[in-house]
Every structure is written in structure tokens, then in C-alpha cells.
Amino acid sequence: MKREEASSNSTVKYAVIVAATVGVIAIVMSGFNKNERPPHIVFILADDLGWNDVGWNNPNVKTPHLNELAEGGVIFNQTYVQPLCSPSRAALMTGYYPFRTGLQHKILGPYQRAGLPLEFKTLAEKLKEVGYLTHIVGKWHLGHSTWDYTPTRRGFDSFFGHYSSSVRHYQKTFQYPVRNKTSVGYDFRDGIGVVQRDDSAYSTLLHTERAVEIISKHYAEYPLFLYFALDQPAKGLQVPSHYEDMYPNIQNQAVRKYYAKMSLMDEAVGNISSALKSRGLFDDTLLIFMSDNGALPINQGSNLPFRSCGCTLFDGGARVPAMIRGPLLKKTGYVNDGVNHITDWHTTLLSIAGIKPEQDLDGIDILDMIVDGSPSPRNEFVYNIDQFEKAPGAALRVGDWKLVVGEPNMCYPGVHLSEVDDWFPVDKKPLFLPGFADFDHPTPPANVTLLFNLKDDPAERNDLSEQLPAKVEELRRRLDEYKRGLVPVADGTADLAADAELYEGTLTPWL
Ligand SMILES: *[C@@H]1O[C@H](CO)[C@@H](O)[C@H](O)[C@H]1NC(C)=O
Ligand SMILES: *[C@@H]1O[C@H](CO)[C@@H](O)[C@H](O)[C@H]1NC(C)=O
Ligand SMILES: *[C@@H]1O[C@H](CO)[C@@H](O)[C@H](O)[C@H]1NC(C)=O
Ligand SMILES: *[C@@H]1O[C@H](CO)[C@@H](O)[C@H](O)[C@H]1NC(C)=O
Ligand SMILES: [Ca+2]
């Protein structure tokens, strides 16, 4: 369906008016005229997938399904996200930079009280208001201390997955330091219920099976929003061995397992597109794939040619593989070089659904850029602003220029900048990122001032700050303007009352 139809979609408008006055049930009764229904949306978000970890950027990684989808759609060369999990997810769900929602500092821990503040409506809530049936499968990671923070109270009709940052693929447990011990928590839910424990079943296979089931049973009169938040490649190297067999020539076992996980992930995407085809929905579905942040050196991922990794303000943390395929696209089978930010996808999906976005969203509507390759309307974006008193850090891009100030390592003091500031090769020695908790660290934080021209120097090798002080000042002033919108960081303390051991080993909302 075309864009003009979306904005003049009378049935949708009717549904909104009815929804506003009578409530959500009215939407289900109002129905959609077949030609007016906005497209189905399947948003696939990988976890910690590096720039160089997908087939179209690195032919050694076997991702045939993703490659095929990308060939029939558009690959993005300059998609930027937040350098960490919770902030990126918050940006996608709200359309605001995390420094405006309180999620600019590190990630949410499993026992943290804070979550994505309830005053922000999620993408799912907004899409639901115009009739989308909404599902999340996989990782939430936007808070769970109270039920109000959990996905089925934030606009999703169903949830199948885990609340916290990451769980082991077979055990579905996380480990978290609490006082003098390590707390182990089981974290796997279907809706609000706990899924029966089965340590022989691999998480991503279960997630994919659920996604396929949702698609197969979808009532196609209504638009579908499926947010498939993969737990791949993420942390740990558990993977069924037959995926490793796809890489007989890779000697390094860790690299082989990592690539195997990429191929498992690719198969999951393939199963989802097959399910869309079997159900007859494929041609009417916008399928978007991107990573939530750059690869971390804890894994074998690579962000080459870009500098450094996830959890930093360098481009290796924020510039990620991304693609879209589906209806609306008038120009396909090419690489689009327009700058876009994860918040833009929020705004653009609203636009596609015929929803008027809030005035002050940070996300910009990039629909024209996606549809026919028009120039990107975005000229600047904020990588992050974190006023964390021990190690403040911020970065901003305006045009081709990028300024980084303060501590570029967002995991300080967990790791020191010297450990992550590198151009990581594929078979590097994995670095252990010791948690994200604040603790006393003997090394003082960095306080850099770096200026790069990303057009000439996308790998950030040549700092121009001393040569171009006026440019530094110009960007610093722009950053100061953004800082006026800064909100305090959400409370980061771990609540000992949340210890899973108090709830028979299961992570549970506790407040
Ligand atoms: C941890 O602390 C508790 C109480 O503070 C104590 O009873 C327990 O023995 C300690 N455990 C270890 C392994 O030190
Ligand atoms: C994809 O579907 C096939 C056939 O049902 C299944 O054997 C395989 O495990 C699925 N792969 C993933 C990653 O879910
Ligand atoms: C993608 O970005 C790189 C680095 O900025 C650039 O060299 C390349 O030309 C871009 N590719 C396309 C197709 O625009
Ligand atoms: C970092 O350096 C700048 C000058 O380049 C200075 O103004 C600022 O106070 C320093 N910040 C910290 C936290 O030391
Ligand atoms: Ca992540």
C-alpha cells in the first residue's frame, strides 16, 4: 500500500476515534478495509551484532537468508544506534534519545528498580491504538521491577522471552553479583507466566518457533507488529554443534562457534520469512533487521573497519548493519548511504501506520529516504550524553564532523579505555567485561577531546581537534544545547530484595 493511502486511511482514523472514546475493544470490532490496512511490520533486532558479522559486510559469515532479503530490499550503510542494549531499545520504543528518558548510563541490571519511565508510550502502545496486533519475542531489557514495566503492560499483546540483559541459551539463567555471592536467576516467560524449565531446549530455537506460530495464526485482517528481539549473537558461545559444521575451515574454536551463532540467527530469520510466505503475508510485510549495538570484545565479533566496540562512543559501538525489505520500497537492491538513527525508525514506523508523531520526538521521518533513496533528512545526532560524575562522556555528529569529549568508554570503571580502544580483528583474544556495576577502580577515567571527519576518516584514526579548535567549539556549543534536555540518570542501585533466590530461583517483579 502507498504512503498517501496510509495518511488518508479512513478506517484507521475511525479506529483511532473509536478507540479514544470507547476503548481498545472497539478497534477489534471496527475492522480494516483490505486495501487500507497499513503493512505488517516485523522488526528484528540482533543483540551485539558487529558491523563485520553479517554476510553482506563479511563474506566469511554465512547468512544466506539475510543476504537474500537484503538483495531484494535496501542495505543501510550509516544506521546508528545507541552503543548499549537498554538505551538502544529505549530509543526504538520511545523515539527519544536515552539522555531524555534517563537511560543514558549503562544498561539496566536484573535487580535494578528503574525501567523505561512509564510516562513514555512505547512503539507497541502507539501501533496498538491504530489496530496493530503486537507481539514481542526474545529480549525485553527495559525494566521489570514492577509488572507495570513489563512488556504486556507496555503495549504488547504477547511476550515470550526474557526480561533481563541476557541469559544462557540452554539454561535461560543469568548470573549477577549480589553482595558476596553470585546470584543465579532463571528468566523465561510466556506472557506473565514462567515457562517450564527445560535445559535441553535452546532459547533462540524456542523464540523462532513462537514467532513462526504468531505469524501462522495471525488474523490477517489486522496489521501485525512483531518485534523479534533476538538473543543472538550476544554473550556466550553455546550453540548446537551442527551450526559449527558449516565452518569446517575455521580453526579457532571460539570464532567458529561465534560464526555458527550467526548462521543460526540467519536460519531464524529465514524461518520467519518462510512463515510469512506460507501465511501469504510476505509481500505485505515490512521486514527490518538491525543490531542494537556494535560487537563487544567479550565475544568474537568484529566491527571492522570501525574503531572500538559496543559500550563506547566510537563508531564501532554505534554504526551497525541494517536492512529493510517489503512493500513501499520503490528502489531496491542497493546500499543506501544516508545517515539514520534508531529513533528515526520509531518515527518512520508511526508515519507508515498513519500515526502523527509527537512534536518533540528525536526521531525524524526517513520514509522518503527508505522509499526511493532520497537524501537523508538527518544532519546530526547525539551518540550519548552521560553526566556520570566519575566519568562524564558525550559524543555528537553534525554533518561529517564528530566530537567526542570526556570518557569514551561507557563501561568505565568496569574496563579501562585502553582495553577497548582498538580496531578489533576477528580472532582477537576475548576480553572479559567484568559486569557493568560501578566499583572502585584504580585507573582514573579518560577525559578526551577528539574531532573526526567521518566522511574522510570513517575509522576515526585522525584526531583533528588541535588543528581545528573552532570546529571543536562549534560542536561543543551544539552539545551544550542538547544538554539542556538532559534528565537525571535512572536509579542504578541493585535491590537485594530482588535476588532470584528469594523467589525459588526465578527472576520476578518484586515491587
Ligand atoms: C556472605 O555473607 C553472609 C552474610 O553477610 C555470610 O553469612 C556468608 O557466610 C557469606 N558467604 C561467603 C561465601 O563469604
Ligand atoms: C527453522 O525451521 C526448521 C524446520 O522447522 C527447524 O528444524 C530449525 O530448527 C529452525 N531454525 C531455527 C533457528 O529456529
Ligand atoms: C559506506 O560507507 C563507507 C565508509 O564511510 C564508504 O567508504 C562507502 O563508500 C559507503 N558505501 C556506499 C555504497 O555509499
Ligand atoms: C575535561 O577536560 C576539559 C577541558 O578539555 C575540562 O573543561 C573538564 O573539566 C575536564 N573534565 C573532567 C571531568 O575532568
Ligand atoms: Ca546489545
Side-chain angles (χ1 to χ4, degrees):
M1 67 165 274
K2 289 193 216 76
R3 194 183 167 198
E4 306 82 65
E5 287 168 359
S7 51
S8 65
N9 184 331
S10 57
T11 311
V12 172
K13 277 186 197 142
Y14 169 69
V16 176
I17 294 160
V18 173
T21 51
V22 186
V24 173
I25 291 163
I27 289 178
V28 179
M29 289 157 58
S30 75
F32 281 90
N33 180 319
K34 197 162 185 269
N35 299 317
E36 290 181 341
R37 175 182 44 64
H40 307 295
I41 299 166
V42 175
F43 199 109
I44 305 179
L45 191 66
D47 194 2
D48 303 352
L49 180 79
W51 176 265
N52 206 28
D53 293 344
V54 67
W56 63 78
N57 287 332
N58 177 359
N60 295 328
V61 182
K62 294 177 183 164
T63 57
H65 298 101
L66 277 164
N67 294 6
E68 193 191 322
L69 288 166
E71 276 159 27
V74 181
I75 291 174
F76 296 95
N77 200 29
Q78 298 204 66
T79 290
Y80 283 89
V81 295
Q82 299 300 132
L84 278 171
C85 309
S86 302
S88 256
R89 287 150 208 272
L92 174 65
M93 283 298 129
T94 64
Y96 292 104
Y97 292 126
F99 74 84
R100 298 183 63 189
T101 59
L103 291 183
Q104 63 271 45
H105 186 61
K106 300 187 180 170
I107 59 171
L108 294 171
Y111 300 154
Q112 194 168 331
R113 289 185 178 201
L116 177 65
L118 298 173
E119 70 255 33
F120 295 99
K121 251 191 205 177
T122 68
L123 180 58
E125 277 176 274
K126 294 176 191 179
L127 292 174
K128 199 170 164 54
E129 282 174 4
V130 295
Y132 274 81
L133 304 179
T134 56
H135 306 271
I136 168 174
V137 177
K139 163 168 162 172
W140 172 237
H141 208 189
L142 286 174
H144 53 266
S145 63
T146 72
W147 291 109
D148 284 347
Y149 281 130
T150 62
T152 47
R153 293 208 186 159
R154 304 221 66 177
F156 288 100
D157 296 323
S158 81
F159 168 58
F160 185 72
H162 51 103
Y163 290 149
S164 67
S165 165
S166 64
V167 293
R168 305 189 73 202
H169 295 296
Y170 286 109
Q171 294 83 353
K172 293 93 176 175
T173 54
F174 60 83
Q175 299 191 347
Y176 198 70
V178 172
R179 271 208 194 106
N180 60 359
K181 66 174 170 64
T182 297
S183 170
V184 178
Y186 177 68
D187 182 9
F188 191 13
R189 301 232 165 208
D190 186 348
I192 58 170
V194 178
V195 177
Q196 179 78 42
R197 196 160 171 167
D198 173 3
D199 286 5
S200 70
Y202 191 87
S203 58
T204 319
L205 300 185
L206 298 174
H207 297 160
T208 310
E209 213 174 284
R210 174 57 65 94
V212 165
E213 188 190 339
I214 287 168
I215 292 164
S216 313
K217 293 183 178 166
H218 179 67
Y219 184 55
E221 296 290 300
Y222 292 88
L224 167 71
F225 175 52
L226 171 59
Y227 172 38
F228 190 58
L230 277 158
D231 63 348
Q232 294 289 354
K235 289 113 200 149
L237 290 172
Q238 287 184 328
V239 64
S241 60
H242 65 275
Y243 295 98
E244 272 188 75
D245 298 341
M246 297 169 75
Y247 297 94
N249 299 324
I250 296 185
Q251 302 303 316
N252 180 319
Q253 194 196 38
V255 175
R256 192 169 64 241
K257 282 181 185 288
Y258 188 75
Y259 281 15
K261 294 187 93 193
M262 234 62 67
S263 291
L264 185 155
M265 173 189 83
D266 180 69
E267 190 182 277
V269 175
N271 284 7
I272 287 173
S273 58
S274 299
L276 289 167
K277 284 174 187 158
S278 314
R279 184 73 187 80
L281 305 179
F282 188 75
D283 291 336
D284 199 17
T285 299
L286 279 175
L287 190 148
I288 297 149
F289 176 88
M290 71 175 68
S291 178
D292 73 332
N293 53 255
L296 295 164
I298 192 176
N299 271 335
Q300 297 297 326
S302 164
N303 306 305
L304 285 178
F306 304 121
R307 180 171 178 172
S308 194
C309 57
C311 212
T312 73
L313 296 171
F314 294 111
D315 267 30
R319 188 168 171 176
V320 292
M323 59 131 290
I324 187 173
R325 63 92 37 221
L328 307 177
L329 308 180
K330 292 191 183 131
K331 186 179 168 194
T332 57
Y334 75 108
V335 179
N336 185 310
D337 199 33
V339 172
N340 61 94
H341 185 262
I342 190 164
T343 53
D344 300 340
W345 291 87
H346 177 102
T347 305
T348 307
L349 291 177
L350 296 185
S351 156
I352 288 168
I355 304 166
K356 204 169 163 3
E358 295 99 311
Q359 286 275 303
D360 66 338
L361 285 189
D362 294 311
I364 296 175
D365 186 348
I366 54 168
L367 188 58
D368 291 342
M369 176 188 129
I370 292 171
V371 168
D372 59 15
S374 301
S376 168
R378 178 176 280 286
N379 185 48
E380 61 181 63
F381 68 87
V382 177
Y383 287 77
N384 198 35
I385 303 174
D386 185 357
Q387 299 289 64
F388 176 49
E389 70 282 5
K390 287 189 193 123
L396 166 81
R397 175 169 176 175
V398 178
D400 295 332
W401 296 95
K402 174 174 177 181
L403 178 72
V404 185
V405 292
E407 171 61 89
N409 171 18
M410 299 165 75
C411 287
Y412 179 89
V415 266
H416 192 254
L417 182 60
S418 63
E419 297 168 290
V420 292
D421 188 8
D422 199 352
W423 287 263
F424 289 98
V426 170
D427 56 354
K428 68 197 169 285
K429 195 163 169 282
L431 169 76
F432 177 57
L433 292 174
F436 295 88
D438 293 345
F439 54 85
D440 292 332
H441 196 283
T443 323
N447 185 10
V448 303
T449 300
L450 300 170
L451 179 74
F452 302 108
N453 182 314
L454 292 178
K455 185 155 189 256
D456 302 338
D457 177 27
E460 299 168 282
R461 290 180 187 271
N462 307 313
D463 168 27
L464 300 170
S465 62
E466 290 193 1
Q467 279 149 269
L468 300 168
K471 193 45 103 176
V472 170
E473 273 322 298
E474 184 192 321
L475 266 72
R476 210 190 279 280
R477 274 197 301 275
R478 188 74 188 115
L479 200 50
D480 287 341
E481 282 167 30
Y482 276 109
K483 281 182 186 166
R484 289 193 217 123
L486 187 75
V487 306
V489 170
D491 178 12
T493 46
D495 186 345
L496 298 179
D499 188 349
E501 287 181 14
L502 302 172
Y503 303 92
E504 295 168 343
T506 300
L507 181 67
T508 300
W510 67 95
L511 294 179

